[in-house]
Amino acid sequence: MPRRFTFVGVTTGSSSIMRIFPRWRDVLGLGDDVEMLPCDLPIGAPRERYRDTVAMLRDDPDNLGALVTTHKIDLYEAAHDLFDELDANARTYGEVSCVFKRDGALHGAAKDPITAGRALEDVLPARHWAGGDAEALVLGAGGAGVAIVLHLLRPSAAAERPARITVVDRDGGRLDALRRLQEAQHPGADVLYADAADGAADRLLAALPAGSLVVNATGMGKDRPGSPLTDDAVFPERGIVWELNYRGELDFLRQARAQEQARGLTVHDGWRYFIFGWTSVIEEVFAVPIDAATIDRLADAADFARPAPVGAASPDRGA
């Protein structure tokens, strides 16, 4: 009987991980009997769908666990009581992105804080914030957006943080939840919360100083069509633009690429974020340590499945 590792998402069959996982399984020595099980749920699925999914993971002895994307917050809200243990990040952030079992107990964990930290180290040059007035604009206050904001606020020295962080989302409840977390962990930090209505994202983008970071953490361009910006949006000079997605229509990424040369932008897609996200969950589900050297080996093994860069002037293989 094969052992199963479940991928809970929206369009899991389109993900590169379906072709990559067999190679990673061999690199990590997980065993030929492990297969990936796709599990698609619509965005905003009924509460019972989330509870049924967690119950399935709990009750199937051959199911080792799961990576959850898109549904992390909704799954936590609907089914957190079905877990035997939730890690500190899951309780703090109110989300579950990793489901695993230990000694018969079902565990839930939030891996976005780990993934965000590793990916930001890739995206940002060393001491990027030192001595400048560059800001960060985070579009989206879901799990990934929350993790990125709180990671940017971690340094105690103001010079090691953005001069200001602005978060934009159309869901006021998510903005309020992030504000409460930020005020509890980093009181007094310069964070602006803005509703996405009436073109707010374009206006806030236009006001950013040179060298600012702009992140699309909305899921738009992959799970939902479009971009959080209009085609009239203007990116900051010498800005660092990070699209968390690596597949889909990627309209935000196309918008950034179109201004890459004229505005002197450094543009990153979500490929390395994808690598870090999956490896952090695999590490937990299979109880196998994955160090930096192994992550590089896994990235090399996955490179065959990386989509061609969207609108890039030159290859962006390290993004």
Side-chain angles (χ1 to χ4, degrees):
M1 189 73 178
R3 295 179 295 153
R4 290 178 285 277
F5 173 35
T6 302
F7 177 15
V8 180
V10 179
T11 55
T12 56
S14 300
S15 176
S16 297
I17 196 63
M18 303 306 292
R19 292 181 290 145
I20 291 169
F21 181 72
R23 298 194 183 195
W24 281 7
R25 179 186 61 199
D26 295 342
V27 170
L28 296 171
L30 302 180
D32 293 339
D33 63 330
V34 178
E35 63 180 28
M36 180 162 287
L37 177 68
C39 177
D40 285 351
L41 299 172
I43 294 173
R47 180 172 181 270
E48 287 308 312
R49 293 286 300 276
Y50 294 117
R51 293 184 67 82
D52 289 347
T53 299
V54 173
M56 177 272 292
L57 293 167
R58 179 194 63 195
D59 297 339
D60 181 355
D62 295 312
N63 205 308
L64 306 175
L67 178 141
V68 182
T69 185
T70 304
H71 303 289
K72 295 172 283 194
I73 293 174
D74 289 338
L75 185 142
Y76 176 91
E77 291 177 349
H80 63 271
D81 60 301
L82 299 181
F83 290 90
D84 297 300
E85 296 286 345
L86 292 165
D87 77 352
N89 282 334
R91 296 191 301 272
T92 297
Y93 291 83
E95 67 171 61
V96 168
S97 58
C98 173
V99 181
F100 62 100
K101 297 175 180 177
R102 291 288 185 275
D103 300 322
L106 188 70
H107 292 248
K111 294 298 183 180
D112 275 340
I114 296 169
T115 302
R118 289 174 176 172
L120 278 168
E121 290 178 4
D122 258 24
V123 168
L124 294 173
R127 297 185 56 76
H128 177 70
W129 308 112
D133 59 357
E135 301 181 9
L137 174 63
V138 179
L139 303 170
V146 170
I148 289 167
V149 169
L150 295 180
H151 191 86
L152 288 170
L153 290 172
R154 285 179 61 187
S156 56
E160 297 175 4
R161 295 176 172 180
R164 169 182 285 180
I165 299 174
T166 300
V167 190
V168 181
D169 201 287
R170 61 185 180 180
D171 186 332
R174 288 191 172 184
L175 290 173
D176 289 342
L178 174 52
R179 182 186 288 109
R180 288 192 294 271
L181 279 174
Q182 173 254 303
E183 290 176 349
Q185 297 183 22
H186 307 284
D190 192 353
V191 182
L192 174 67
Y193 299 90
D195 191 296
D198 301 324
D202 280 20
R203 293 194 300 274
L204 292 163
L205 183 77
L208 290 175
S212 291
L213 171 69
V214 184
V215 183
N216 178 24
T218 65
M220 294 183 72
K222 187 190 78 166
D223 297 325
R224 300 191 302 276
S227 165
L229 303 174
T230 74
D231 286 339
D232 295 326
V234 179
F235 288 89
E237 291 186 2
R238 304 186 306 282
I240 298 174
V241 184
W242 184 19
E243 163 65 84
L244 295 194
N245 301 316
Y246 78 93
R247 65 180 175 93
E249 294 301 315
L250 301 177
D251 291 332
F252 174 90
L253 187 61
R254 293 180 189 277
Q255 291 167 334
R257 292 292 190 199
Q259 300 180 36
E260 185 173 10
Q261 293 186 350
R263 303 294 289 172
L265 306 177
T266 301
V267 182
H268 299 268
D269 68 11
W271 184 250
R272 290 289 286 185
Y273 187 75
F274 164 83
I275 298 290
F276 289 134
W278 274 99
T279 53
S280 68
V281 171
I282 289 171
E283 186 174 40
E284 196 77 81
V285 170
F286 293 92
V288 53
I290 301 178
D291 58 19
T294 304
I295 287 176
D296 288 341
R297 288 175 58 210
L298 295 172
D300 289 342
D303 198 58
F304 80 99
R306 182 175 184 178
V310 170
S314 59
D316 187 11
R317 306 306 289 174

